[in-house]
């Protein structure tokens, strides 16, 4: 069972929501902030840990053309299989009803209930291993095999009609597509109606208008409507009440789709011939229902016309637009971008990102995320697809690189100062990336801002490490706390913090041994140091030169820090990144992106030279520019 | 050979002429924007996450908060009459464009995109959940106040303390103003202490806040920089709770 389903705009207006169980915590906003806005939307689901216990799974579907987001929330333990399909159909059904100025859609409840029931039943049917369910898959809806009207395969044919819409576009004499299955963007209800009818009838059931006019002749076998009306009356009496209720909101679904509606009429387990007859009857009943209510008829016609227009547009636009599309220029300005339109531009961009030294894995994820945000968008006239994609990538890269955490360390230092305690920063990283050097640069910068600094030599592993710091401290005239080698670095740091407090120091900079991300004992020691001392800031020092390795380093550091922490509520991961040797890389600034995307931590400092003054902040704009130029 | 040179020269002169033409046009366009200054009709709604910007937008435009809101991902532009004026029959009033800019740190930088045409900025903060997030709010306010495109044109700012319907749970406007002033005062010395790599290419130099010698207050900022900063109570969920914001909007975009 689902817990909650909702539709909202990217701007943040809730348009429609249905709760089956009151939501606990704030999963929707968390999804938006921690996933959709983090350019991780290419992943297919999101988990939300409920504060009071348990986990929600969230899935979503986007309509980029209209700027809509569809989200379903359910208990992760349930492993619902129909959610993806439900969201897709919800997307289609809601999108046709959406009008930008309107923020309330109470009438959509019924439509959704029907979609849900349908998807649930289909999922249920797929699970039950009875013979009719495994009935032959219909490769083409036009074959219209009569027995296919049982709920399982009838539905299948409708899906078929949806997915390869153009192959299934019967046009009635008045030029309208009968049942709008051909129109991909059309309301789900229509699609179903059309395909359901197709599955039923020996002759094709034309559009609603025609049915009304013909009145007496419709459906298989040429039976008169009157007869069917009588039978329908009977069936109706027998039918469960909820089914009737459900039907009211249905328009096209009334044609032939009724068999899917309710338990007692579900003949999926019966023999095929019986199923055919009964379904035919149900079919008729539905038509009568339509005749009874004119307003539904009108609505249906509207939608039908819309469908016809769209279909006509596709037909006309077909040749020209496919030609224009090959040029990569959108002239008409009304066609939504498809995956294949943007694929070439994405490939180029991915290549460019990788040339700039972005790890392949990250380049993949970013382009994929961009794809999900561009697909379905409508381009302005005379816009190149590649321009649109480029712009979307630029926006995404800016978002990714923009810190979501304050990187104003001085302010945090002043806050700690006001509380009368030293602010501590631990520098971690693999060997030889310039930890000590950049630590000294940070010390210099802090000193320049009138802050009292102390350095703790917690690299008790590599010989010469302490001496190296001594030299820096001498030059900077900064006190050094050291206990030589072979000591437990966690304890040294702890004592250093106490010493700093006594000496009235503002900031304690802790140097640690360089370690490879796979070195288990050293990773344990680091985790220990962090857990024992609870520093204010853990900075990962990484070279701007690294390519694919940056991802592995950061992932593993974070992973080990998380795993080795005894108390999950206290766990302290990497807060920020110091990017070193930035002056040596030219325009290959990709590591910045790889590191930030992997860890979610911002780049706090950039080391760009040999002297103490060569410490800077990252300029997001210029990095994005270098990545894309 | 000579021909080629001549041709190259010719195209060079055409190019120069074109460039000159484009430059003059640009100067005129810029002048127009510059002079018209606050004559634009765009008012920006900015502030941290969950402050109630989207709710306010709906209340101002439609006089209803509809079904509510979720975190915004992209800015929303809404053009038209203020709901209260529409209801009051003042349909001749000048239409306003409101832009709701998401508070999420990753997207709030989009303010830059709209700064050039803003006639006013409503900075919305949550008066209930203010203390735990005061730094975040102050940082964002700092960014807005120092945005060159806003400071240069002296675009007025309204600090709107939202959720005042929550009674004693909500901090007072005065309290919030004082805390923010204090935070901003501190940030003046800590922000921008480090240079950028890649050279500062970010839309001009950041504007100064207040006077260097004295503690930062909105009053001193107004005096020294000519940017009017006022405060208001707000309850975006109530129809009557947006009156002060409406008054600010009307003042920024005269009818
Ligand atoms: N009590 C009360 N709640 C409010 C008020 N205004 C907004 N809220 C609530 O605050 C929450 C956040 O409101 P939004 O309008 O979505 O906030 P936002 O500023 O647009 O947030 P972002 O889009 O994330 O930047 C919603 O649950 C609102 O119902 C108010 O005046 N009083
Ligand atoms: Mg919002």
């Amino acid at each position: 069972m689902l817990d909650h389903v909702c539709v909202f705009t990217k701007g943040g207006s809730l348009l429609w929501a249905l709760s089956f169980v009151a939501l606990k915590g704030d999963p929707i906003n968390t999804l938006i902030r921690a996933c959709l806005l983090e350019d991780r939307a290419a992943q297919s689901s999101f988990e939300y840990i409920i504060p009071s216990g348990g986990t929600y799974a969230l899935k979503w579907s986007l309509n980029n053309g209209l700027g809509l987001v569809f989200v379903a929330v359910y208990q992760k333990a349930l492993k619902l299989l129909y959610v993806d399909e439900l969201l897709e159909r919800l997307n289609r059904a809601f999108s046709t009803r959406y009008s930008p100025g309107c923020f309330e859609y109470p009438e959509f409840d019924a439509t959704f209930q029907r979609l849900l029931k349908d998807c649930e039943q289909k999922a249920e049917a797929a699970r039950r291993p009875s013979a009719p369910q495994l009935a032959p898959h219909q490769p083409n809806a036009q074959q219209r095999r009569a027995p296919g009207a049982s709920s399982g395969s009838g539905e299948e044919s409708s899906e078929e009609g949806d997915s390869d819409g153009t192959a299934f576009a019967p046009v009635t004499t008045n030029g309208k597509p009968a049942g709008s299955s051909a129109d991909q963007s059309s309301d789900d209800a229509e699609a179903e109606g059309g395909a359901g009818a197709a599955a039923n009838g020996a002759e094709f059931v034309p559009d609603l208008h025609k049915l009304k006019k013909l009145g007496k002749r419709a459906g298989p076998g040429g039976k008169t409507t009157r007869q069917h009306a009588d039978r329908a009356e009977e069936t109706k009496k027998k039918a469960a009440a909820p089914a009737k209720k459900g039907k009211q909101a249905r328009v096209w679904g009334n044609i032939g789709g009724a068999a899917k509606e309710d338990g007692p009429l579900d003949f999926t387990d019966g023999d095929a011939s019986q199923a055919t007859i009964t379904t035919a009857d149900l079919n008729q009943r539905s038509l009568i229902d339509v005749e009874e209510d004119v307003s539904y008829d009108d609505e249906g016609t509207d939608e039908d016309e819309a469908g016809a227009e769209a279909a006509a547009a596709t037909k006309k636009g077909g040749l020209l637009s496919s030609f224009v599309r090959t040029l990569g220029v959108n002239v008409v300005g009304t066609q939504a971008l498809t995956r294949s339109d943007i694929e070439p531009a994405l490939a180029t961009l991915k290549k460019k990102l990788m040339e700039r030294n972005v790890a392949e894995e990250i380049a993949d994820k970013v382009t994929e995320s961009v794809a999900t945000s561009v697909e379905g968008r409508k381009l302005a006239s005379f816009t190149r697809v590649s321009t649109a994609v480029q712009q979307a990538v630029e926006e995404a890269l800016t978002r990714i690189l923009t810190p979501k955490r304050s990187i104003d360390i001085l302010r945090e230092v002043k806050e700690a100062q006001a509380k009368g305690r030293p602010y501590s920063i631990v520098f971690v990283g693999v060997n030889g990336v310039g930890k000590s050097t950049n630590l000294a640069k940070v010390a210099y910068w802090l000193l320049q801002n009138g802050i009292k600094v102390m350095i703790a030599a917690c690299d008790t592993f590599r010989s010469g490490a302490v001496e190296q710091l001594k030299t820096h401290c001498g030059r900077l005239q900064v006190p050094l706390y050291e206990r030589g080698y072979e000591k437990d670095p966690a304890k040294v740091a702890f004592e250093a913090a106490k010493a700093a407090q006594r000496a009235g120091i503002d900031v304690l900079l802790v140097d640690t041994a360089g370690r490879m991300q796979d070195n288990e004992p050293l990773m344990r020691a680091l985790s220990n140091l962090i857990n024992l001392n609870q520093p204010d800031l853990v900075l990962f020092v990484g070279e701007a030169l690294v390519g694919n390795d940056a991802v592995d380093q950061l992932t593993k550091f974070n992973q080990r820090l998380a795993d080795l922490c005894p108390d999950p509520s206290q766990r302290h991961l990497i807060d920020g990144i110091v990017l070193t040797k930035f002056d040596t890389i030219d325009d290959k600034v990709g590591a910045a992106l790889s590191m930030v995307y992997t860890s979610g931590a911002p780049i706090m400092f950039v080391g760009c030279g040999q002297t103490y003054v060569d410490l800077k902040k990252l300029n997001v704009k210029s990095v994005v520019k270098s990545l894309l130029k | 050979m000579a021909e080629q040179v001549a041709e190259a020269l010719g195209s060079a002169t055409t190019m120069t002429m074109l460039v000159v033409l484009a430059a003059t046009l640009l100067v005129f366009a810029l002048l127009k924007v510059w002079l018209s200054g606050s004559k634009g009709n765009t008012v920006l709604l900015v502030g941290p996450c969950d402050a109630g910007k989207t709710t306010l937008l709906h209340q101002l435009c439609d006089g209803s908060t509809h079904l509510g809101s979720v975190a915004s991902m992209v800015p929303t532009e809404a053009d038209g009459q203020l709901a209260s004026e529409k209801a009051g029959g003042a349909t001749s009033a000048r239409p306003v464009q409101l832009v709701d800019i998401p508070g999420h740190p990753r997207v709030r930088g989009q303010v830059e995109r709209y700064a050039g045409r803003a006639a006013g900025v409503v900075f919305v903060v949550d008066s209930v959940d203010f203390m735990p997030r005061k730094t975040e709010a102050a940082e964002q306010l700092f960014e807005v106040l120092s945005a060159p495109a806003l400071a240069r044109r002296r675009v007025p700012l309204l600090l709107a303390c939202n959720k005042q319907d929550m009674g004693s749970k909500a901090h007072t406007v005065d309290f919030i103003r004082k805390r923010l002033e204090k935070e901003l005062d501190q940030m003046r010395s800590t922000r921008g202490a480090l240079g950028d790599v890649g050279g500062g290419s970010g839309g001009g130099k950041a504007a100064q806040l207040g006077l260097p010698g004295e503690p930062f207050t909105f009053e001193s900022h107004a005096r020294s920089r000519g940017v009017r900063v006022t405060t208001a109570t707000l309850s975006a969920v109530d129809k009557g709770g947006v009156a002060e914001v409406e008054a600010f909007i009307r003042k920024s975009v005269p009818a």
Side-chain angles (χ1 to χ4, degrees):
Chain A
M1 255 316 275
L2 290 172
D3 282 21
H4 185 86
V5 188
C6 60
V7 181
F8 51 87
T9 65
K10 287 189 178 176
S13 310
L14 193 57
L15 297 176
W16 178 83
L18 193 61
S19 273
F20 297 92
V21 187
L23 279 184
K24 287 174 273 179
D26 194 2
I28 307 281
N29 281 327
T30 311
L31 167 75
I32 297 171
R33 294 193 177 119
C35 178
L36 301 183
L37 272 172
E38 293 285 335
D39 285 276
R40 281 156 217 263
Q43 70 189 55
S44 64
S45 72
F46 177 77
E47 285 178 13
Y48 174 81
I49 317 263
I50 308 166
S52 55
T55 306
Y56 284 134
L58 285 90
K59 290 199 167 216
W60 60 92
S61 165
L62 305 175
N63 183 326
N64 294 311
L66 298 172
L68 299 179
V69 185
F70 305 83
V71 179
V73 186
Y74 56 97
Q75 298 286 338
K76 188 192 158 209
L78 288 182
K79 297 206 170 47
L80 299 184
L81 295 173
Y82 57 82
V83 181
D84 287 321
E85 187 196 330
L86 178 70
L87 281 169
E88 281 315 311
R89 294 177 64 181
L90 168 64
N91 188 331
R92 265 180 279 139
F94 192 89
S95 298
T96 53
R97 286 191 171 73
Y98 176 63
S99 96
C102 177
F103 295 94
E104 284 160 62
Y105 298 83
E107 75 287 348
F108 191 71
D109 285 12
T111 313
F112 177 77
Q113 291 287 7
R114 185 178 50 76
L115 282 181
L116 177 63
K117 202 163 190 176
D118 213 35
C119 288
E120 276 178 345
Q121 274 177 4
K122 199 184 161 199
E124 180 61 31
R127 211 169 344 157
R128 249 184 304 154
S130 59
Q133 259 56 45
L134 302 170
H137 178 82
Q138 294 178 306
N140 185 345
Q142 270 176 314
Q143 287 182 355
R144 274 182 260 131
R145 297 158 43 124
S150 71
S151 94
S153 42
E155 173 60 36
E156 232 167 85
S157 66
S158 125
E159 290 301 307
E160 212 76 51
D162 274 343
S163 54
D164 55 19
T166 41
F168 174 52
V171 177
T172 53
T173 39
N174 57 2
K176 285 180 187 173
S180 316
S181 322
D183 177 18
Q184 287 202 338
S185 70
S186 79
D187 186 345
D188 210 61
E190 294 173 47
E192 240 167 63
N200 271 319
E203 79 182 47
F204 194 76
V205 181
D207 84 277
L208 211 49
H209 248 356
K210 250 193 142 186
L211 275 178
K212 242 188 101 181
K213 282 188 222 128
L214 289 173
K216 301 232 176 328
R217 260 189 58 94
K223 293 165 189 161
T224 66
T225 325
R226 193 66 257 152
Q227 285 173 325
H228 284 283
D230 297 339
R231 270 211 247 168
E233 266 335 292
E234 281 169 39
T235 335
K236 216 187 244 173
K237 276 172 209 146
K238 279 184 238 155
K244 226 188 142 190
K245 200 175 160 210
K247 272 184 343 208
Q248 312 221 306
R250 301 176 48 159
V251 186
W252 285 93
N254 282 339
I255 307 170
K260 297 165 209 153
E261 196 115 57
D262 33 26
L265 296 173
D266 186 357
F267 285 87
T268 44
D269 286 335
D271 72 83
S273 62
Q274 196 194 347
T276 317
I277 295 161
T278 324
T279 325
D281 283 348
L282 286 168
N283 190 16
Q284 296 308 314
R285 181 196 61 163
S286 304
L287 293 174
I288 303 280
D289 278 357
V290 172
E291 282 187 340
E292 275 168 7
D293 197 324
V294 182
S295 71
Y296 288 158
D297 181 19
D298 288 348
E299 198 185 327
T301 314
D302 279 355
E303 288 179 12
D304 182 39
E305 267 157 17
E309 267 163 36
T314 335
K315 262 199 123 178
K316 263 192 247 153
L319 254 181
L320 179 66
S321 81
S322 67
F323 169 69
V324 167
R325 267 161 194 246
T326 54
L327 296 179
V329 185
N330 187 322
V331 181
V332 209
T334 46
Q335 297 235 319
L337 285 178
T338 65
R339 184 70 198 215
S340 52
D341 291 333
I342 52 181
E343 209 67 75
L346 283 180
T348 320
L349 276 156
K350 188 188 157 193
K351 204 169 132 240
K352 204 181 268 179
L353 288 178
M354 284 171 63
E355 277 166 12
R356 297 287 176 271
N357 215 11
V358 174
E360 178 167 10
E361 187 188 341
I362 306 297
D364 260 338
K365 282 186 185 160
V366 171
T367 39
E368 188 52 43
S369 159
V370 168
T372 58
S373 77
V374 172
E375 216 179 323
R377 241 190 237 176
K378 295 204 167 85
L379 288 187
S381 301
F382 296 104
T383 314
R384 274 183 159 273
V385 174
S386 57
T387 315
V389 172
Q390 167 110 4
Q391 198 189 337
V393 173
E394 205 173 303
E395 279 169 20
L397 294 179
T398 309
R399 264 197 310 272
I400 294 167
L401 287 167
T402 304
K404 57 177 170 177
R405 167 199 197 287
S406 163
I407 57 165
D408 189 355
I409 292 180
L410 280 183
R411 205 206 67 243
E412 288 177 22
V413 168
K414 294 230 158 108
E415 243 163 56
Q417 211 175 19
K419 288 184 191 137
R421 63 173 187 86
Y423 184 89
S424 57
I425 308 178
V426 175
F427 290 73
V428 307
V430 302
N431 313 73
V433 290
K435 267 190 306 306
S436 307
T437 317
N438 282 280
L439 178 143
K441 285 184 200 170
V442 172
Y444 177 83
W445 172 68
L446 289 170
L447 287 172
Q448 288 223 308
N449 282 280
I451 284 163
K452 277 183 263 165
V453 180
M454 183 180 197
I455 295 176
C458 295
D459 183 354
T460 59
F461 190 72
R462 179 176 63 92
S463 64
V466 178
E467 286 68 27
Q468 188 191 354
L469 280 181
K470 244 182 213 155
T471 326
H472 283 304
C473 287
R475 275 194 232 152
L476 293 168
Q477 308 229 304
V478 161
L480 175 73
Y481 189 92
E482 56 108 349
R483 283 288 167 271
Y485 297 93
E486 302 297 325
K487 282 263 168 34
D488 176 6
K491 288 217 181 79
V492 179
F494 191 75
E495 285 160 21
K498 277 205 268 179
Q501 174 96 50
R502 276 196 302 274
I505 295 288
D506 299 320
V507 176
L508 177 68
L509 301 175
V510 180
D511 188 31
T512 65
R515 63 205 76 212
M516 295 315 288
Q517 63 272 28
D518 297 312
N519 186 326
E520 186 62 19
L522 282 180
M523 287 311 288
R524 265 177 201 284
L526 181 64
S527 159
N528 199 18
L529 186 150
I530 289 168
N531 292 330
L532 181 70
N533 291 284
Q534 288 299 326
D536 294 277
L537 202 62
V538 176
L539 293 184
F540 178 87
V541 186
E543 273 180 9
L545 311 161
V546 290
N548 286 311
D549 210 25
V551 177
D552 190 50
Q553 285 174 14
L554 262 167
T555 314
K556 292 211 168 118
F557 263 79
N558 261 336
Q559 193 62 52
R560 293 320 283 154
L561 289 182
D563 293 349
L564 294 170
C565 182
D567 178 1
S569 67
Q570 294 265 304
R571 75 182 195 182
H572 195 145
L573 305 184
I574 287 160
D575 300 300
I577 294 162
V578 182
L579 201 57
T580 66
K581 312 190 184 173
F582 202 75
D583 51 322
T584 64
I585 53 162
D586 238 9
D587 59 358
K588 297 207 183 309
V589 294
L593 185 74
S594 303
M595 289 190 188
V596 169
Y597 190 90
T598 309
S599 64
I603 291 175
M604 300 253 191
F605 298 105
V606 179
C608 50
Q610 300 292 326
T611 66
Y612 286 138
V613 295
D614 293 322
L615 189 69
K616 292 195 167 169
K617 265 190 325 206
L618 191 78
N619 184 314
V620 173
K621 273 192 196 151
S622 67
V623 170
V624 171
K625 215 186 268 169
S626 321
L627 281 171
L628 294 177
K629 81 173 174 219
Chain B
M1 185 67 201
E3 249 171 39
Q4 271 175 355
V5 171
E7 207 176 289
L9 273 176
S11 71
T13 33
T14 339
M15 275 300 285
T16 333
M17 268 168 67
L18 275 176
V19 166
V20 169
L21 195 71
T24 3
L25 281 178
L26 195 74
V27 166
F28 272 113
L30 275 179
L31 258 175
K32 204 173 166 205
V33 169
W34 208 293
L35 292 176
S36 63
S38 57
K39 277 187 199 148
N41 71 336
T42 302
V43 174
L44 311 183
L45 309 181
V46 298
C49 288
D50 274 337
K53 299 174 294 295
T54 307
T55 313
L56 175 63
L57 179 81
H58 283 306
Q59 191 65 262
L60 289 171
C61 294
D62 314 332
S64 156
T65 59
H66 304 299
L67 293 189
S69 59
V70 297
S72 310
M73 292 190 263
V74 297
T76 308
E77 296 170 31
D79 298 85
Q81 236 91 46
L82 294 176
S84 63
E85 290 174 355
K86 232 186 292 176
T91 40
S92 58
R94 189 158 166 222
V96 178
Q97 179 182 55
L98 296 174
V99 184
D100 164 24
I101 295 164
H104 193 281
R106 299 246 200 242
V107 269
R108 70 189 191 204
Q110 300 240 2
V111 134
E112 269 183 33
R113 261 178 54 194
Y114 298 95
R117 56 171 148 126
V121 176
V122 180
F123 191 90
V124 187
V125 292
D126 181 342
S127 319
V128 177
D129 198 26
F130 175 70
M131 281 313 273
R133 300 162 75 174
K134 65 175 193 309
T135 321
E136 193 197 330
E139 287 210 317
Q140 202 182 345
L141 183 54
F142 189 98
E143 279 159 27
V144 173
L145 285 176
S146 55
L150 294 171
R152 195 187 58 231
R153 294 187 302 119
R154 308 189 167 176
V155 177
L157 182 137
L158 179 75
L159 174 65
C161 304
N162 192 21
K163 312 198 184 178
Q164 290 292 328
D165 53 294
M166 298 293 278
S168 60
K169 277 199 224 149
H171 290 288
T172 64
V173 174
D174 251 4
F175 176 87
I176 291 171
R177 176 180 55 81
K178 284 199 185 115
R179 293 309 299 228
L180 287 177
E181 282 176 344
K182 203 176 138 210
E183 292 282 328
L184 288 172
D185 185 46
Q186 227 171 38
M187 268 172 213
R188 281 195 302 180
S189 63
T190 61
R191 302 266 306 201
L194 212 58
D196 276 358
V197 279
S201 61
K205 205 165 166 289
Q208 296 291 309
L209 264 63
L211 279 173
E214 55 185 71
F216 177 85
T217 60
F218 291 147
E219 191 274 320
S220 81
H221 186 65
R223 198 156 23 82
S224 58
R225 308 282 160 197
V227 177
R228 184 160 53 88
V229 182
T230 45
T231 55
T233 59
L234 169 63
S235 170
V237 288
D238 302 324
K239 231 182 195 132
V242 297
E244 290 182 43
V245 173
E246 273 173 350
F248 171 82
I249 292 173
R250 260 305 153 226
K251 205 169 161 190
S252 311
V253 184

